[in-house]
Amino acid sequence: MVPLRILAPLPLLALASSLTAGPAFAADENAAGATADDTDPAEAIVVTARAQTLYRVRDTDVGKIPANPLDIPQSVQVINSEMMQDQGARDITDLYRDVPGVSANNYATVTYRGFSQDVTFYDGLRGDPFQTFSVPQLFTIDRVEFLKGPAGMLYGAGSPGGTINYVTKKPQDTFAANVRAILGGRSRYGGSVDVTGPLDKDGILTGRIGGFYEDYDSYRDHASSRTLIGDAGLSAKLAPDTKLTVQVTDYDQNLPGNRLRGIPVDANGNFLTYRSWNHNDPDDFIRYNGLVTQARLDSKLSDAISFNLAGRWFRYNEHQEYHEPVALKDTDGDGVYDTVTREYRDQHRHVEGLSFGANMVGKFTTGPFSHTVLVGADWYRELSTGTNYATRNVPALSLIDPDYRDSTKPDLSGVTPSLTDSKALRRGVYAQEQLGIGEHVILVGGVRRDWFDDNDYIEGESASEAATTWRAGAIYKPRHDLSLYVSWSQAFEPQDVADQSSAAGGPFKPESGSQWEVGAKSDLFDGKVQATLAAYRIVRRNVLQVDVSQDSVNGVDQLAPVGEVTSKGIEATLTTDLTKNWVFSVNYAYNDTRITGTVEGQSIDNSVGDRFPNTPHHQAGFWTRYQVAPIDTAFALGGQYVSNQLDRSGDRLKPFTVFDATISHDFKVFEAMFRIENIFDKYYATSGFTGPKGAYIGNARSWFIELRRKF
């Protein structure tokens, strides 16, 4: 762990020492976007017309060019820091209810328009330090951008359902600081500090320093979570229109009683044991440490030309010692599973990644046409090594009356570990033209060429391929705050390195995907009504599966890229100020993802019949906040509905509806927020794996109080 004192620029420490002399909290809230007509100067937490002033996003970088979401011919949703704060969001899982078409899959992955999504970007670059079993925290994040559907032309290889881009917090030109403390149920406690501002009188240098710590017990037996984050940034104005920003973030997590799988269910989705049951022993754990550094240079060469250069390096180490569920057993012959056999695993993972990106944007006009031209390139290399010791020489565990008193860690001295050692290399160049015709029409067209190389050094296998992807769209704006659009986009995804083996018939061409989407977006009444409506159809081809027409070779099944999957759906969102003190947000998504092309007698891996697992047909979410200005208090309520799903074993996962709420009050010296999650203590499954590994379950009822002071 890098000590925070090393990360902290000395001038920022001086700023932090002056916190008690900071300006009134109300001034900071008014600066967030409320006008003099909206807010009484004495009010603090009460900022009126929140959809119009705080939640509204006028520009996003998710399309590689800073643009109004209305000028992007694909569904885009942005959750900014103000909305995350109002909802009390701690990590990415708290935001799923706000984004139609996105639902929990497992750990840090999501189901995105029917497809498992595990490729994530930070400030437009690859380099995700939460790739496996840790969930991204939001302390360092300013906003989260969701670009729906394939984004191959913009980002290269990735999942066809969509792209998640985290925009990190940067140093600011004006001084701001906040301090938070948290206390809650299950022995929860923690706190954070965040300071930013100029470091010299001319504002040439600006900095940011932040620290976060949180500790709480899980509702699962002997499981808990401890997270420590240190974050810092430094910006320098090298010229009036040129800025260099350097950032470093250190993550440290200790998760005793983990790695947590789910709770086994029967074919109808009934849980086979109580919610607190844990397949791990008390001395099992996950320990994670990640370090990220990145730098970005932004420069405006003229009114017509600007460019940016960025680099990101990360590494993480993860050590896991845990008991993996293997098989369900009926030991007393009554037809009901009552025991699970287990495998003990001792795993070490080390992942290191390096990425670069460059973009140049030109804006000019020719006669009645306006042009925005983007050219860019990106490069990414990831090295991954691992060691896995595994043995089934451990006792089974009762589902009904587990005995955790004695450690069952076996002696691994005679166990031969399995090893992983691989390299993934991605390179791409792209160009896009955004053509404006008059005031009402925008046409978009782009092309990208990608190359990738994968190497499995343990098996001595490698695969190389290239792919070209395209993007096209048209937008019609009958008025400046309403856009109607249609788009077509492509994506591709290389096959897993393990499936590229020549022994299995590889190497294989990457999976390919394309999407048609039509929709409408609005920003009516100067942002008081923000709405989107989209309909889409995604086709994913070259899905690998076992070719049963061929005999296995030396015990290795032969693969063939003969699969096709089609996802169709509609999505709708609405965020509006019902009154200047009452904001309301609601969304709905329908999705139908099915296997539409295969060979008789074969089935696509991780499918159930013609359906994919963890793909609910219906999702809905809402959030509303009402503020009572005379008493400086705000009341909020949110909810999420997810229809039934199937897990990978074909077992049904029941639909669920859960609610949470917050109450915020300003005590003048500080603001307090009380948050309660899963108000009615619903016992429910968010997604599923296989029978013995069970269904991943939503958090039991929990609460915390957060005290905030802003300066």
Side-chain angles (χ1 to χ4, degrees):
M1 180 70 194
V2 178
L4 295 182
R5 63 178 180 271
I6 296 177
L7 298 178
L10 292 177
L12 277 180
L13 291 178
L15 287 176
S17 68
S18 67
L19 289 179
T20 55
F25 174 50
D28 178 77
E29 287 287 7
N30 288 333
T35 65
D37 295 335
D38 288 329
T39 315
D40 188 296
E43 293 172 356
I45 69 163
V46 180
V47 179
T48 61
R50 301 183 85 82
Q52 183 183 27
T53 60
L54 295 185
Y55 302 162
R56 188 180 182 189
V57 177
R58 292 177 173 85
D59 289 297
T60 173
D61 293 323
V62 75
K64 297 284 188 176
I65 300 172
N68 189 311
L70 270 65
D71 296 337
I72 299 175
Q74 262 178 268
S75 181
V76 176
Q77 189 164 356
V78 181
I79 308 296
N80 63 16
S81 59
E82 288 81 10
M83 179 173 278
M84 288 188 284
Q85 176 178 301
D86 276 355
Q87 295 185 0
R90 319 301 291 178
D91 59 50
I92 186 62
T93 62
D94 294 325
L95 304 182
Y96 294 159
R97 71 160 183 225
D98 298 314
V99 186
V102 174
S103 60
N105 191 347
N106 60 77
Y107 304 109
T109 67
V110 298
T111 298
Y112 209 145
R113 284 190 170 178
F115 300 105
S116 176
Q117 163 72 39
D118 55 10
V119 179
T120 301
F121 295 83
Y122 287 76
D123 296 313
L125 292 175
R126 294 177 185 269
D128 182 14
F130 297 98
Q131 296 181 3
T132 50
F133 307 103
S134 298
V135 176
Q137 304 294 304
L138 298 176
F139 171 69
T140 65
I141 304 303
D142 182 63
R143 66 181 186 270
V144 186
E145 303 174 327
F146 298 85
L147 178 63
K148 306 293 187 67
M153 180 258 133
L154 294 169
Y155 290 95
S159 300
T163 299
I164 298 176
N165 181 48
Y166 293 94
V167 178
T168 59
K169 294 178 181 178
K170 309 292 193 305
Q172 300 299 305
D173 292 334
T174 57
F175 172 80
N178 71 76
V179 178
R180 302 185 185 190
I182 184 172
L183 294 171
R186 302 197 202 107
S187 304
R188 188 169 195 158
Y189 67 93
S192 68
V193 60
D194 198 328
V195 186
T196 187
L199 302 180
D200 65 312
K201 64 179 182 179
D202 297 322
I204 302 299
L205 295 177
T206 57
R208 177 181 173 274
I209 181 72
F212 171 92
Y213 179 77
E214 193 164 48
D215 187 320
Y216 60 89
D217 294 335
S218 171
Y219 54 92
R220 305 285 292 271
D221 289 341
H222 55 259
S224 59
S225 173
R226 297 162 194 153
T227 300
L228 177 64
I229 302 174
D231 189 41
L234 181 67
S235 292
K237 293 182 180 178
L238 306 182
D241 292 315
T242 301
K243 177 184 285 190
L244 174 66
T245 301
V246 180
Q247 298 168 264
V248 59
T249 307
D250 190 278
Y251 302 93
D252 193 275
Q253 281 191 321
N254 184 12
L255 306 175
N258 284 260
R259 174 172 81 178
L260 287 173
R261 294 295 195 179
I263 302 294
V265 298
D266 63 19
N268 296 315
N270 300 307
F271 292 104
L272 299 181
T273 185
Y274 43 87
R275 179 165 47 191
S276 60
W277 181 84
N278 190 346
H279 54 88
N280 292 296
D281 282 1
D283 53 355
D284 289 347
F285 62 85
I286 295 178
R287 290 182 185 139
Y288 167 91
N289 179 261
L291 180 65
V292 181
T293 61
Q294 68 177 43
R296 175 171 169 134
L297 178 69
D298 290 274
S299 182
K300 186 177 180 182
L301 302 180
S302 68
D303 290 338
I305 300 176
S306 61
F307 74 91
N308 62 73
L309 301 171
R312 180 178 174 89
W313 174 87
F314 79 96
R315 68 108 178 101
Y316 72 82
N317 294 293
E318 193 170 56
H319 180 198
Q320 303 183 18
E321 294 184 11
Y322 70 102
H323 288 71
E324 175 79 355
V326 175
L328 296 170
K329 299 292 184 181
D330 173 16
T331 59
D332 56 14
D334 63 356
V336 178
Y337 294 126
D338 54 26
T339 303
V340 61
T341 60
R342 300 182 296 170
E343 177 178 85
Y344 180 76
R345 297 178 180 177
D346 184 340
Q347 298 179 342
H348 297 258
R349 290 185 177 88
H350 176 79
V351 177
E352 182 176 320
L354 179 64
S355 60
F356 297 100
N359 296 281
M360 179 168 286
V361 179
K363 296 184 178 183
F364 57 94
T365 59
T366 56
F369 305 110
S370 62
H371 305 267
T372 302
V373 177
L374 165 71
V375 293
D378 50 47
W379 182 94
Y380 178 65
R381 185 197 66 197
E382 181 176 296
L383 306 176
S384 178
T385 59
T387 304
N388 178 27
Y389 293 86
T391 178
R392 296 192 179 182
N393 186 28
V394 292
L397 187 69
S398 170
L399 291 172
I400 308 303
D401 186 23
D403 185 356
Y404 301 121
R405 289 175 297 179
D406 298 321
S407 173
T408 63
K409 287 188 177 181
D411 181 4
L412 298 175
S413 59
V415 177
T416 301
S418 62
L419 305 175
T420 59
D421 187 359
S422 63
K423 181 180 76 172
L425 183 62
R426 306 284 184 264
R427 311 175 304 282
V429 295
Y430 49 90
Q432 177 180 273
E433 157 78 308
Q434 182 171 305
L435 177 67
I437 305 174
E439 297 180 355
H440 302 290
V441 177
I442 301 174
L443 302 179
V444 176
V447 62
R448 177 184 175 111
R449 183 66 173 174
D450 277 279
W451 298 266
F452 72 88
D453 297 280
D454 291 331
N455 292 275
D456 184 336
Y457 296 115
I458 300 298
E459 298 296 330
E461 300 285 351
S462 63
S464 300
E465 188 59 78
T468 300
T469 48
W470 300 81
R471 181 176 186 242
I475 300 171
Y476 174 65
K477 302 180 73 172
R479 44 188 288 171
H480 74 280
D481 53 8
L482 176 65
S483 67
L484 310 175
Y485 70 90
V486 60
S487 67
W488 173 76
S489 53
Q490 287 185 308
F492 81 97
E493 187 172 9
Q495 309 290 353
D496 289 341
V497 175
D499 292 336
Q500 297 282 37
S501 170
S502 58
F508 300 100
K509 290 187 176 298
E511 290 185 12
S512 60
S514 62
Q515 172 185 266
W516 281 99
E517 180 177 330
V518 297
K521 307 176 188 179
S522 76
D523 189 30
L524 302 174
F525 306 109
D526 195 25
K528 291 182 180 179
V529 178
Q530 303 166 36
T532 64
L533 177 65
Y536 61 87
R537 182 177 186 269
I538 303 173
V539 178
R540 182 180 181 183
R541 300 183 178 89
N542 289 343
V543 180
L544 281 185
Q545 54 190 319
V546 175
D547 187 349
V548 297
S549 66
Q550 300 186 55
D551 295 330
S552 61
V553 178
N554 296 324
V556 178
D557 290 330
Q558 300 302 286
L559 303 175
V562 293
E564 179 186 271
V565 181
T566 300
S567 170
K568 297 179 291 185
I570 58 172
E571 297 168 353
T573 67
L574 172 66
T575 301
T576 182
D577 291 311
L578 298 176
T579 70
K580 70 175 185 176
N581 291 310
W582 188 7
V583 64
F584 181 73
S585 177
V586 64
N587 66 80
Y588 168 77
Y590 168 80
N591 175 266
D592 185 24
T593 301
R594 296 187 181 274
I595 298 168
T596 52
T598 187
V599 174
E600 185 176 356
Q602 297 179 339
S603 63
I604 293 176
D605 187 30
N606 292 335
S607 66
V608 181
D610 66 346
R611 288 189 62 182
F612 264 23
N614 302 323
T615 54
H617 283 313
H618 303 277
Q619 296 172 251
F622 80 92
W623 188 79
T624 185
R625 182 183 190 274
Y626 185 79
Q627 52 196 19
V628 184
I631 60 172
D632 292 335
T633 303
F635 303 88
L637 177 69
Q640 180 185 28
Y641 167 78
V642 176
S643 67
N644 65 71
Q645 309 172 65
L646 297 176
D647 68 11
R648 296 185 183 184
S649 298
D651 296 327
R652 176 178 179 265
L653 303 181
K654 295 181 179 181
F656 66 86
T657 304
V658 291
F659 300 92
D660 55 73
T662 65
I663 301 174
S664 301
H665 179 75
D666 177 51
F667 289 93
K668 304 307 180 185
V669 177
F670 61 86
E671 177 190 343
M673 183 188 72
F674 171 77
R675 182 176 189 262
I676 182 169
E677 183 179 353
N678 193 359
I679 295 173
F680 301 106
D681 203 23
K682 178 81 172 178
Y683 183 11
Y684 66 101
T686 60
S687 62
F689 206 70
T690 59
K693 295 174 176 57
Y696 295 99
I697 55 179
N699 194 15
R701 180 167 54 212
S702 63
W703 63 271
F704 65 80
I705 296 174
E706 184 175 78
L707 307 180
R708 305 169 178 165
R709 177 70 191 270
K710 292 187 177 181
F711 305 88

